[in-house]
Amino acid sequence: MNATGSSETAPAAPRQAVWAVVRSDIGPLLLAATDAGVVNVVFHATDAVRDKALDRLGSRLGAEPVEAPDSPLLAEVIRQLAEYFAGRRREFDVPLDWSLITGFNREVLRELFAGVPFGAVVGYGDLAHRVGQPGAAQAVGLAMGSNPLPVVVPCHRVVERDGGIGGFGGGLETKRKLLALEGVLPEPLF
């Protein structure tokens, strides 16, 4: 029973997020953070993509995100992304807000974040096996496609068993650039 005597659970309190769009070697990235940590990274953050992502984020958090490029909540992830793209950072050490991810997807993404380092790749099936779900390679692919924290939680490091690079929500050219930055693939010629 809750305070009103009802057995219904109270709705979650709205959570505020701050956001900014930053330039990167792979195009503009929308970064959003809550008090708990970085909650969203969105590729190709044109005005239309940004607006759609912010509407979706606001709906999920229950409060409209506020543009705040100078927010201390974003400062560290902005700095670390700049270092990553400059080739001076191999792992991210920022608080992450995992609240947009649940169940199997959260388990898979946490394993990816903790267990697949810079310059390494893992197959979809191998990652499924790591979380105790052999045979769930397709579900791992879906988890990668729903990753709200790409680059920081490196879904670009998940590839096909036969050596193909697989799909990628940010587009295959973006995945190729990230893998080249990490030394897994040669730099694109143009």
Side-chain angles (χ1 to χ4, degrees):
M1 297 256 188
N2 65 20
T4 63
S6 168
S7 61
E8 294 179 25
T9 58
R15 293 183 317 125
Q16 187 64 61
V18 295
W19 66 272
V21 173
V22 298
R23 292 187 307 195
S24 78
D25 291 359
I26 56 171
L29 296 173
L30 168 69
L31 306 174
T34 66
D35 287 338
V38 180
V39 71
N40 209 192
V41 177
V42 179
F43 293 117
H44 314 298
T46 61
D47 291 348
V49 169
R50 178 200 66 210
D51 292 347
K52 184 177 178 182
L54 291 171
D55 285 346
R56 186 173 50 247
L57 182 61
S59 175
R60 302 270 316 265
L61 296 178
E64 184 176 337
V66 174
E67 184 175 14
D70 296 326
S71 171
L73 297 176
L74 294 170
E76 187 61 16
V77 71
I78 291 170
R79 185 183 71 76
Q80 289 189 24
L81 279 165
E83 290 174 353
Y84 171 80
F85 286 112
R88 296 188 314 267
R89 174 166 290 277
R90 293 177 158 255
E91 64 184 47
F92 292 94
D93 181 23
V94 292
L96 298 177
D97 180 339
W98 295 92
S99 66
L100 298 181
I101 316 159
T102 60
F104 177 79
N105 289 1
R106 182 185 287 196
E107 187 177 356
V108 168
L109 290 169
R110 281 183 179 265
E111 173 59 30
L112 173 65
F113 181 72
V116 183
F118 182 97
V121 293
V122 65
Y124 294 94
D126 293 336
L127 193 52
H129 192 270
R130 286 185 187 197
V131 297
Q133 297 291 327
Q138 286 184 318
V140 167
L142 294 173
M144 296 306 106
S146 67
N147 179 7
L149 298 163
V151 182
V152 177
V153 177
C155 52
H156 60 276
R157 296 180 189 155
V158 183
V159 297
E160 294 175 345
R161 176 182 51 192
D162 65 3
I165 68 168
F168 194 60
L172 292 181
E173 187 57 32
T174 299
K175 186 171 187 173
R176 283 185 191 97
K177 286 180 181 180
L178 291 169
L179 291 173
L181 173 73
E182 296 189 9
V184 175
L185 292 176
E187 288 288 335
L189 295 175
F190 40 85

